Amino acid sequence: MKEEGSGKPDLSNPEADSSGIINLIEPTIVFKIQNTLFGLPRSEVMKSGFFRGMLESPYLGDSKEGSIENPIVFDDITGVTPGDMKSLLRVINIRAYEDRTPSFSVTEWAAAYRLAKMWDFDLLRDYIFKHLDQSVKEPFPRIEYADLLGFENWIVPALAKLCQRTEPLTAQEGAKLGLARFAEVCKQRERGRDRSNPSDYEKWIDKAVVLKARE
């Protein structure tokens, strides 16, 4: 992909940042995000259904697609940021060392997951999901990230925990949930006043209401 209106990117620009380039013996695919260049080993890039289709298609790009002279460009309209790409690269690098425990923030995991899902890195996406599932435990963060990343299966169990909670929901928490979810949690808390089994709440919660609320 060529940067719109410029033919080839101007790598002589003194502000261009190539700190993300990885110097490897193996061929590297180069990406340009905003004003930063990133490099990924071709073998890793080809694990992406999205990029594999792009680079193997006789109808897209040319033989120099993904080179420093002609990087694959993601402009502002795609919503991809250099920070997102750095998170993805960190996860790809750490995944090569399964004996090491990743020390990423939830925000970094989420950014990497979004790109892995967008670009069809299926195995990487599943790896990131596993760590997100282990890292995000409390109901409100789980609901927040479920809405952000499309984890519908997280929503009802998280709401069920709020139904089971002894303390009433605050106005601030109600605002976070939104009116439909807040009303559903309050209704089920009242219904289950004398019950303590969270599985009951998961059965009772109106899934059509709480899942539609995020749209």
Side-chain angles (χ1 to χ4, degrees):
M1 297 181 182
K2 294 182 180 179
E3 193 170 16
E4 189 172 345
S6 63
K8 293 183 179 181
D10 182 10
L11 298 181
S12 64
N13 184 343
E15 296 181 358
D17 179 4
S18 61
S19 59
I21 294 293
I22 303 174
N23 294 313
L24 298 171
I25 296 175
E26 180 182 355
T28 300
I29 303 297
V30 181
F31 300 84
K32 185 178 182 184
I33 300 172
Q34 294 179 8
N35 207 38
T36 305
L37 298 177
F38 295 92
L40 270 175
R42 184 180 177 89
S43 61
E44 290 293 335
V45 174
M46 298 304 282
K47 294 175 183 177
S48 156
F50 178 84
F51 292 121
R52 187 168 60 251
M54 176 192 299
L55 295 169
E56 291 182 345
S57 171
Y59 306 106
L60 297 174
D62 55 41
S63 60
K64 293 184 178 180
E65 190 84 22
S67 64
I68 290 182
E69 294 79 14
N70 187 24
I72 297 173
V73 178
F74 288 91
D75 55 22
D76 292 345
I77 200 171
T78 65
V80 179
T81 69
D84 294 340
M85 193 64 166
K86 287 176 183 177
S87 294
L88 183 70
L89 263 61
R90 287 191 66 204
V91 173
I92 289 173
N93 288 339
I94 198 71
R95 188 167 178 263
Y97 302 95
E98 292 289 350
D99 58 330
R100 293 172 58 183
T101 302
S103 57
F104 304 146
S105 68
V106 174
T107 301
E108 289 173 311
W109 281 121
Y113 181 89
R114 190 172 73 85
L115 295 191
K117 181 180 179 182
M118 180 189 302
W119 294 335
D120 297 331
F121 282 100
D122 293 340
L123 294 177
L124 186 64
R125 179 200 60 209
D126 294 344
Y127 171 82
I128 297 169
F129 176 82
K130 179 184 72 173
H131 286 282
L132 271 170
D133 196 29
Q134 294 170 351
S135 301
V136 185
K137 296 296 186 183
E138 296 301 315
F140 280 102
R142 282 184 79 84
I143 292 168
E144 177 186 355
Y145 282 104
D147 286 343
L148 179 66
L149 301 173
F151 301 158
E152 285 192 352
N153 290 341
W154 282 15
I155 294 174
V156 171
L159 292 173
K161 286 187 176 181
L162 296 178
C163 292
Q164 188 190 24
R165 198 178 76 178
T166 302
E167 302 82 6
L169 271 66
T170 66
Q172 184 179 15
E173 290 173 333
K176 287 182 180 179
L177 288 176
L179 181 59
R181 287 175 178 169
F182 178 66
E184 184 67 15
V185 169
C186 291
K187 181 175 76 174
Q188 300 306 342
R189 280 172 64 89
E190 183 65 25
R191 180 180 182 182
R193 186 184 294 275
D194 300 323
R195 296 174 182 250
S196 59
N197 189 342
S199 65
D200 288 339
Y201 293 112
E202 290 190 30
K203 295 173 186 175
W204 295 341
I205 288 173
D206 189 333
K207 297 177 178 61
V209 169
V210 300
L211 296 180
K212 186 178 180 181
R214 73 183 181 89
E215 297 177 354

